[in-house]
Amino acid sequence: MPSGQQPQKHYGITSAISLAPPREIDHHYTKKLCDAMKPFGVFEDEEELNHSDTNTFFSISCVGGKIFTFGSYRLGVHTKGADIDALCVAPRHVERTDFFQSFFEKLKQHEEIKDLRAVEDAFVPVIKFKFDGIEIDLLFARLALQSIPDNLDLRGDSILRNLDIRCIRSLNGCRVTDEILYLVPNKENFRLTLRAIKLWAKRRGIYSNMLGFLGGVSWAMLVARTCQLYPNAVAATLVHKFFLVFSKWEWPNPVLLKQPEDSNLNLPVWDPRVNPADRYHLMPIITPAYPQQNSTYNVSTSTRTIMSEEFKYGLSVTDEILQGKAEWSKLFEPPNFFQKYKHYIVLTASASTEENHLEWIGLVESKIRVLVGNLERNEYITLAHVNPQSFPGSKENRNENDFVSMWFIGIIFKKVENAESVNIDLTYDIQSFTDTVYRQANNINMLKDGMKIEATHVKKKQLHQYLPPEVVQKKKRVRCCSAMLVLFLGLFSSLTNLKCYCALVKLVSNMSSFDFPTPSPPHPEEPPLKAKPPSPPASSSITSSTKPTATSSPKEEPNGLEDSVNGAPSKRPHSPTQEDPAKRPKNTDVSIWTTY
């Protein structure tokens, strides 16, 4: 190192892979990346930044307290129209009841505030509302301080002393966000890279913490780790290195942005050496703020497999882009989920009113990963891939007055050796899931007349009964290149019939494009399964319209994804359950007869 030159700051738990500065071509590719992202509305304009400044309003309303933003807004990657996560920090003389009662009533008086509702019994209690058209989730934390200073730094662990667990959970979002920003070498490069990766994840259908993929904070930590490993790289290089690093990552080795610290506050932290349950987490990404937690505990074997495939596909595409063989737009092309699998489960949630429907689909969606876990433990299923996008029910498949949402789960069945045909029974897997949802709805007094769940097995060729043609068979248009025209014309220029040749020239010159199916990354090979005999949709559906009551004694909830961390999930053979037939809802058998 030349004399007088300061050593570069060390980031992360290991040294950097490369300290190489960016080249001119790297800046060129970064500009092209920005241009490719603009049509998707990922950049907020100045008007919207001013429009969504929450501090102006809350500094008036939250007297004595202070508002902190966190999540994508605090990270600086807020997109147009996205919601804002905020935290109200109050001094010790302000009680939680003051926030959820008197402050809540004060908010009611403001005309700009719409859809105001308090969720006080949630795991992280929150007040939700729209302020001037922007959705806001406002949390509350009461600190052991006489007053809240303007320069309060939430990163210090000492502020957690003597706080109740709800306040600690509420503070966690801000503390993690601030720690991530502190641990990256260049905030602007980090932000642009994160915008690209979040857009890619959403377009590829792998952005959903609730459904077992990754949420915003997890993607942010993966990008932050990439920035630590390549501290001088610009966004185009970092996007490529992101795919390089995580396509080769040996899960379940955890991703850490810093060495975990013990603050002697006796709070539970992620530590597989101490907590046996933590040893079964499949894709651990550990938050950098105390108390350290795994942000990806919802990930299942299927969702990890799908994301690993996407990392590899992303690497191959960015290789092409940086070699000048493709444009950045190719990275953001959506996969054709409905052409990828031979078998699907259609999960339908319906209610008789719009208000009930919004409430009902929220609960059903939060439990879909339980169904995925049940299917994964079926000995005949290799992979269960849920599409995070929900679809409205078609008029042909619902009652006229019902409000309906549908989710689709792609299934890959395992080939059974030395067996010509297998009857695969999914009754238990789906029935235990519907029992879980109905029981939860009963427990929180949500279940109302008209709320139903149905699950139907369909083949790929039957999807048109549920979805419009443009969704089932998405295509992209590929421009016909001039070289192909030359090839055609050269091939036929030897024709002696001049009239035929001229007609062909006109035909080819008017040919503006060809249609080709959108490519998808490879997935585990599925054995060719044939239904024998072909069964009508009604014979392969689960219809759980029978609602359990508080006195119906439903079965215990199966060991779903939420509980699988308590022990190694095990495969189980499947056969009809040996329960009292009177307790089983009618029309709940689903069997798939497959022939190899």
Side-chain angles (χ1 to χ4, degrees), residues 247-276:
S247 65
K248 301 180 185 302
W249 195 271
E250 295 182 355
W251 306 104
N253 288 328
V255 174
L256 296 161
L257 298 182
K258 58 184 275 190
Q259 287 293 352
E261 300 170 354
D262 187 1
S263 297
N264 297 317
L265 297 178
N266 296 320
L267 295 174
V269 298
W270 185 87
D271 189 345
R273 299 167 302 177
V274 177
N275 308 317

Side-chain angles (χ1 to χ4, degrees), residues 1-7:
M1 180 183 296
S3 59
Q5 183 174 338
Q6 294 293 323

Side-chain angles (χ1 to χ4, degrees), residues 405-530:
S405 292
M406 298 184 298
W407 293 266
F408 292 80
I409 303 174
I411 301 292
I412 296 180
F413 291 106
K414 186 181 297 181
K415 182 175 176 59
V416 179
E417 295 183 9
N418 302 321
E420 293 184 1
S421 61
V422 177
N423 185 23
I424 301 172
D425 182 15
L426 301 183
T427 304
Y428 179 86
D429 302 319
I430 298 177
Q431 184 64 50
S432 59
F433 160 71
T434 56
D435 284 351
T436 298
V437 177
Y438 283 129
R439 183 166 53 253
Q440 175 73 9
N442 257 330
N443 290 342
I444 60 176
N445 297 318
M446 179 195 291
L447 198 60
K448 298 177 179 68
D449 288 339
M451 289 183 171
K452 295 184 292 186
I453 316 172
E454 297 178 2
T456 307
H457 163 254
V458 300
K459 294 183 179 180
K460 180 167 63 176
K461 62 184 179 183
Q462 297 172 300
L463 288 172
H464 70 275
Q465 300 173 18
Y466 300 87
L467 296 164
E470 63 272 17
V471 173
V472 176
Q473 182 61 56
K474 284 185 180 177
K475 292 184 178 182
K476 67 173 185 178
R477 299 186 70 79
V478 180
R479 303 299 295 180
C480 186
C481 66
S482 58
M484 187 177 292
L485 293 178
V486 171
L487 179 63
F488 272 110
L489 297 180
L491 180 63
F492 291 102
S493 62
S494 59
L495 290 174
T496 56
N497 188 329
L498 182 60
K499 186 176 181 181
C500 178
Y501 171 65
C502 292
L504 189 64
V505 169
K506 185 176 181 180
L507 173 67
V508 175
S509 62
N510 289 335
M511 199 181 300
S512 61
S513 64
F514 291 109
D515 285 340
F516 297 103
T518 302
S520 295
H523 58 77
E525 284 299 319
E526 178 185 6
L529 303 181
K530 297 181 179 179

Side-chain angles (χ1 to χ4, degrees), residues 251-253 270 276-284 286 293-297 299 304 564-565:
W251 306 104
N253 288 328
W270 185 87
D278 294 345
R279 299 169 195 167
Y280 299 104
H281 291 184
L282 300 176
M283 201 174 175
I286 309 307
Q293 303 294 321
N294 175 24
S295 66
T296 62
Y297 57 86
V299 170
R304 185 178 72 173
S564 63
V565 295

Side-chain angles (χ1 to χ4, degrees), residues 323-390:
Q323 292 168 12
K325 298 178 180 178
E327 298 296 329
W328 281 108
S329 56
K330 183 175 181 180
L331 184 66
F332 305 123
E333 289 175 358
N336 197 336
F337 175 82
F338 297 107
Q339 293 298 313
K340 189 172 183 179
Y341 302 102
K342 295 180 180 179
H343 299 270
Y344 293 84
I345 288 177
V346 185
L347 181 63
T348 304
S350 58
S352 54
T353 70
E354 185 175 10
E355 183 180 358
N356 289 352
H357 176 246
L358 290 173
E359 197 175 23
W360 184 231
I361 62 172
L363 176 63
V364 172
E365 186 174 31
S366 72
K367 297 298 181 183
I368 289 178
R369 66 179 186 270
V370 175
L371 174 58
V372 171
N374 292 349
L375 295 171
E376 286 177 338
R377 285 187 292 277
N378 187 305
E379 63 176 347
Y380 296 116
I381 292 179
T382 300
L383 183 134
H385 180 180
V386 58
N387 185 344
Q389 183 180 358
S390 63

